[in-house]
Amino acid sequence: MKAAVLREANKPLEIEEVQISKPGPREVLVRPVAAGVCHSDLHFLDGSYPYPMPTILGHESAGVVEEVGSDVTYVKKGDHVITCLSAFCGHCNKCLTGHLSLCASPEVSRDATEESRLSIQGETVHQFLNLSSFAELMLIHEHALVKVREDMPMDRAALIGCSTTTGVGAVFHTAGVEPGSKVAVIGCGGVGLAAINGAAIAGAGQIIAVDRVDSKLELAKAVGATHTINASSGNAVGEVVEMTQGGCDYTFEAIGLKSTAEQAFQMLCSGGTATIIGMIPVGTMVELHGVDFLAEKKIQGSNMGSNRFRVDMPRFVDFYLSGKLHLDEMISKHIKLADINLALDALKTGQEARHVIMFN
Amino acid sequence: MTLITIESEITGNVWKIEAAAGTATDEEDVILILESMKMEIPVESPEKGIIKEILVNEGDQVQEGQGLAILDTDS
């Protein structure tokens, strides 16, 4: 099969012929139909999150089951599925206490002594986040996918595989936004827009979108923002505090920077909660004013929207098909796998929403 | 002899050890690979040297700041 291979940070991906192993007992071979090109891929492309190479990026996809391993009963050939990097073992302490997205069990990947799932002429290709979706086929653990309705368009379904689940899940699960509350979202990329959409579904009273790009702020309005702030024009913290007459109940940081994480905390009212969704580079420290804790301000992380994706994703599909979840606006362009580097370059500019790779 | 302890920047599991004690390394050579929150994270040699000791085994859980390997940079 063909796949976009990353051999060195900050270098273009190369389309290469890659060998894929046969499904093990609990593995599923999926033929992706669509794969989103996500900003998180850039963190690994630029080396701010080191990853062993060669690897195949991509972690947001939907497709059709091609073949299943001998012990797989959940799906069969032909089923439509969304993949998810939050593969869960189902029996560790995190899974058994309802925190499936925090499962750290290595059993959903092959161990170092087994044949790797992906290779090029005998050379191991490191599977990215147990998925590697910039490829014509994916070999994944059965707990890294969920079945979905066949009337769900695959390009929209792919987005649910990461950005939607991360943004909406942060609002629903990690923060637990209450109806009528005041919310600010910093960063209006795919995840930030999903958080705004999620806040609207949750019934937030005031939803303030913060970004430096006017076109993204327009998108934010289209998916549920009640107010927008272009952060390049001044002091976003001051504007949010003024608009909300004292700060937000909930803030969400969806960029991954020290400065905006600190701003998310500064935008809170007493008792408010800041949720950091963005991937802050390894080694970066975040600084807060200690006295703010006396006002019961809280800050927390969110990984993949604290999801239980086999429950959440079919619900998000229903939200889309009933008009509550806005995914059409999130896709700026459909591309071929061969154009992946153009899509990654476009993401770096921050001017566009998502490109989605279509495989047929 | 100048010894450097290479520490883990994250909490996770040791997925694979790529270099044994006695191996000569260049800067950025991968010594071992950690797994954390579904990510494989390579731990690289900070400079040229010889690995004096690997302090962990494959499958071990490691904490942020825990020593993973000792590098002799005078060799």
Side-chain angles (χ1 to χ4, degrees):
Chain A
M1 67 157 181
K2 291 216 170 353
V5 179
L6 175 64
R7 289 188 173 274
E8 193 177 338
N10 290 309
K11 292 285 170 64
L13 309 189
E14 291 177 19
I15 306 299
E16 298 188 35
E17 194 63 33
V18 175
Q19 288 76 55
I20 190 160
S21 182
K22 286 280 181 193
R26 300 194 65 191
E27 292 177 338
V28 180
L29 188 66
V30 174
R31 186 172 292 281
V33 174
V37 182
C38 176
H39 199 272
S40 301
D41 291 309
L42 286 182
H43 295 302
F44 297 91
L45 178 64
D46 69 17
S48 57
Y49 274 74
Y51 212 82
M53 315 257 179
T55 187
I56 298 167
L57 298 178
H59 61 280
E60 184 180 84
S61 61
V64 178
V65 173
E66 185 81 9
E67 187 180 345
V68 300
S70 56
D71 290 349
V72 175
T73 56
Y74 172 69
V75 286
K76 63 182 185 309
K77 181 177 167 64
D79 282 345
H80 288 206
V81 296
I82 298 174
T83 64
C84 184
L85 67 90
S86 300
F88 56 93
C89 73
H91 55 78
C92 68
N93 286 350
K94 295 297 180 188
C95 287
L96 293 175
T97 52
H99 305 289
L100 283 83
S101 63
L102 296 180
C103 173
S105 169
E107 70 180 57
V108 295
S109 16
R110 290 190 177 178
D111 72 36
T113 62
E114 294 179 277
E115 179 196 9
S116 61
R117 287 175 178 156
L118 302 165
S119 61
I120 297 175
Q121 294 177 337
E123 176 190 20
T124 294
V125 174
H126 295 271
Q127 191 173 35
F128 180 60
L129 307 177
N130 294 313
L131 295 176
S132 285
S133 61
F134 295 162
E136 291 174 331
L137 288 167
M138 300 167 67
L139 182 60
I140 61 180
H141 193 274
E142 62 169 327
H143 284 178
L145 55 76
V146 57
K147 277 188 285 194
V148 292
R149 301 164 52 165
E150 295 193 6
D151 56 344
M152 180 65 186
M154 285 289 195
D155 56 344
R156 273 67 172 166
L159 304 192
I160 290 175
C162 177
S163 60
T164 301
T165 294
T166 301
V168 178
V171 170
F172 287 7
H173 303 316
T174 318
V177 168
E178 296 168 339
S181 53
K182 296 172 181 176
V183 171
V185 178
I186 306 174
C188 296
V191 170
L193 291 170
I196 290 165
N197 199 164
I201 295 170
Q206 198 172 5
I207 305 170
I208 304 169
V210 183
D211 202 287
R212 291 173 173 270
V213 180
D214 284 333
S215 60
K216 289 192 168 178
L217 292 172
E218 286 304 311
L219 267 178
K221 283 186 199 166
V223 302
T226 58
H227 301 74
T228 60
I229 293 173
N230 188 319
S232 60
S233 63
N235 172 14
V237 173
E239 288 188 59
V240 167
V241 171
E242 189 178 335
M243 276 181 184
T244 53
Q245 298 179 317
C248 293
D249 302 298
Y250 300 97
T251 59
F252 297 89
E253 197 277 355
I255 301 173
L257 295 174
K258 166 185 167 66
S259 59
T260 44
E262 291 166 356
Q263 287 168 13
F265 191 69
Q266 291 159 8
M267 288 174 183
L268 296 173
C269 66
S270 302
T273 302
T275 301
I276 310 303
I277 312 172
M279 295 176 65
I280 297 173
V282 176
T284 301
M285 307 298 280
V286 173
E287 294 172 276
L288 307 172
H289 290 149
V291 70
D292 287 341
F293 294 115
L294 291 174
E296 296 192 1
K297 295 182 183 180
K298 296 173 274 293
I299 188 164
Q300 62 182 348
S302 180
N303 184 308
M304 283 297 290
S306 310
N307 73 75
R308 314 79 41 95
F309 73 88
R310 282 201 176 167
V311 174
D312 297 331
M313 290 186 179
R315 289 181 181 173
F316 296 157
V317 167
D318 290 342
F319 278 156
Y320 170 74
L321 292 172
S322 63
K324 294 187 182 76
L325 186 64
H326 303 283
L327 297 177
D328 301 346
E329 296 87 341
M330 305 291 185
I331 300 174
S332 56
K333 202 170 186 179
H334 294 92
I335 63 165
K336 298 288 184 193
L337 180 62
D339 296 324
I340 180 66
N341 290 308
L342 296 175
L344 291 165
D345 288 343
L347 263 187
K348 288 176 195 165
T349 68
Q351 298 292 322
E352 285 193 57
R354 242 168 187 65
H355 289 199
V356 174
I357 300 166
M358 300 302 292
F359 288 90
N360 49 19
Chain B
M1 181 183 289
T2 304
L3 300 179
I4 294 175
T5 300
I6 300 169
E7 296 178 348
S8 177
E9 289 191 330
I10 46 119
T11 296
N13 298 309
V14 179
W15 183 69
K16 189 175 186 183
I17 295 172
E18 295 275 15
T23 304
T25 65
D26 279 327
E27 186 179 343
E28 296 186 357
D29 279 357
V30 176
I31 296 172
L32 52 87
I33 299 173
L34 301 177
E35 185 180 54
S36 178
M37 296 317 300
K38 316 300 182 195
M39 296 185 288
E40 289 174 31
I41 299 165
V43 176
E44 297 175 346
S45 178
E47 53 188 279
K48 188 173 178 177
I50 290 180
I51 296 171
K52 186 164 177 58
E53 188 176 357
I54 298 286
L55 302 171
V56 291
N57 297 305
E58 288 181 0
D60 283 357
Q61 285 196 338
V62 294
Q63 302 298 315
E64 181 179 340
Q66 182 176 336
L68 301 171
I70 296 173
L71 185 70
D72 180 355
T73 58
D74 282 346
S75 302

